[in-house]
Amino acid sequence: MSEPALSVTGLVTSFPDGNGRARVVDGVSFHVDPGEVLALVGESGCGKSVTALSTLRLVPRPGRIEEGRVRLGGIDVLSLSVPEMRSMRGREAAMIFQEPMTSLNPVHTVGDQVIEAIRLHERVSKDAARARTVELFQEVRIPDAEERVDAYPHQLSGGLKQRVMIAMALALRPRLLIADEPTTALDVTIQAQILELMRELQRELQTAILLITHDLGVVNELADRIAVMYAGKLVEEGTRTEVLAGARHPYTRGLLRSMPSLARRGQALAEIEGVVPPPSEWPPGCRFASRCPVALSHCAAELPATTRLSSTHTADCHVVAREEAA
């Protein structure tokens, strides 16, 4: 069996708060296999983006990785020196950020920015890097690629800027692509085009993708497997069909009920009552307990164990555990 493109075990990432340090990511474990798309799903503030940044050691200070292991293609990235880690980024894994408008430098052409990324890692001439950039622009379906290379960010639409970011991320053919809300800032039509592009590139290049999103529509379009995150912990994981059609954790079910559906046309959208508690107020047990409509008396006090529902489907929930035991 091949080595996962990304393997994360017991990851803990903390930030300072009024009582010391809060574990914003708290014991998270998952893997992404070569050529697979894993979607990390959850509400804003649940720790998805911090998890993604942790895998590339890009957590902004004063945040820091406290515990755990992160392996990219079998290499333990937490043990690498700063120059070694810098070399890994782009070559082994690359990231597409959610705001293409602010991720590109406005005073340099988009082509120069991709050329610079290539020449940071490969000893090639500027002309060779430019030719490679044109090829990349063509790969990500940027029209008139030869001319667009010399355009400045403000001269491109949001969709074209996101395509430039994808081209830059793919420049060194990384085995893992981390896409953090890649369609959030785009209108619906352009979102569909970017999703189709990512699906085509994933099939053609067999690149593993870690997709960070709160949009279950995007998940349904792209993901092979789904990991649901709440308040710093993973609460359910399974294949796309297992999670979207057979969700077991009350939080996952709440997310699905809050999405528009033709089957519930004319009905008001359901909501998950309450708000995500801040890290300083997380209970010792299940962190969803205060909002859960089916919580048991001991849910908030005792941390739930992982219940295996199939070879690929798990849920961390006392209620699910009781249902399975019965």
Side-chain angles (χ1 to χ4, degrees), residues 79-89:
S79 67
L80 298 178
S81 66
V82 171
E84 288 171 334
M85 188 64 231
R86 192 176 295 124
S87 177
M88 286 279 287
R89 297 188 197 112

Side-chain angles (χ1 to χ4, degrees), residues 73-125:
I75 299 171
D76 182 2
V77 302
L78 301 185
S79 67
L80 298 178
S81 66
V82 171
E84 288 171 334
M85 188 64 231
R86 192 176 295 124
S87 177
M88 286 279 287
R89 297 188 197 112
R91 190 176 301 280
E92 289 293 329
M95 193 161 183
I96 304 170
F97 294 96
Q98 60 182 293
E99 275 289 351
M101 292 74 169
T102 57
S103 298
L104 291 166
N105 190 322
V107 301
H108 295 286
T109 67
V110 292
D112 280 345
Q113 293 179 63
V114 179
I115 289 167
E116 181 185 21
I118 294 171
R119 297 188 75 197
L120 276 173
H121 293 272
E122 296 182 357
R123 300 184 67 178
V124 295
S125 68

Side-chain angles (χ1 to χ4, degrees), residues 43-57:
E43 293 172 89
S44 296
C46 73
K48 306 185 304 294
S49 293
V50 174
T51 299
L53 292 170
S54 298
T55 64
L56 294 181
R57 281 174 48 183

Side-chain angles (χ1 to χ4, degrees), residues 159-228:
L160 287 179
K161 282 198 276 278
Q162 190 62 289
R163 289 170 190 261
V164 170
M165 295 301 298
I166 294 171
M168 191 181 302
L170 293 174
L172 301 176
R173 291 293 188 261
R175 68 179 72 199
L176 173 71
L177 189 62
I178 300 173
D180 187 2
E181 302 278 9
T183 60
T184 294
L186 307 174
D187 67 46
V188 174
T189 303
I190 304 302
Q191 280 186 22
Q193 294 174 7
I194 294 298
L195 291 175
E196 179 61 27
L197 171 63
M198 291 182 66
R199 189 163 46 237
E200 289 177 10
L201 293 172
Q202 186 266 336
R203 282 197 296 259
E204 292 170 10
L205 305 175
Q206 281 298 292
T207 304
I209 298 177
L210 174 60
L211 174 67
I212 311 296
T213 185
H214 66 278
D215 189 334
L216 294 176
V218 171
V219 170
N220 193 41
E221 287 288 324
L222 274 182
D224 299 307
R225 287 191 301 117
I226 301 169
V228 182

Side-chain angles (χ1 to χ4, degrees), residues 235-259:
V235 297
E236 186 163 6
E237 185 175 354
T239 66
R240 175 176 55 191
T241 301
E242 286 171 334
V243 174
L244 296 184
R248 296 290 301 276
H249 196 285
Y251 175 63
T252 311
R253 289 179 168 180
L255 284 180
L256 291 169
R257 283 195 298 269
S258 69
M259 295 293 293

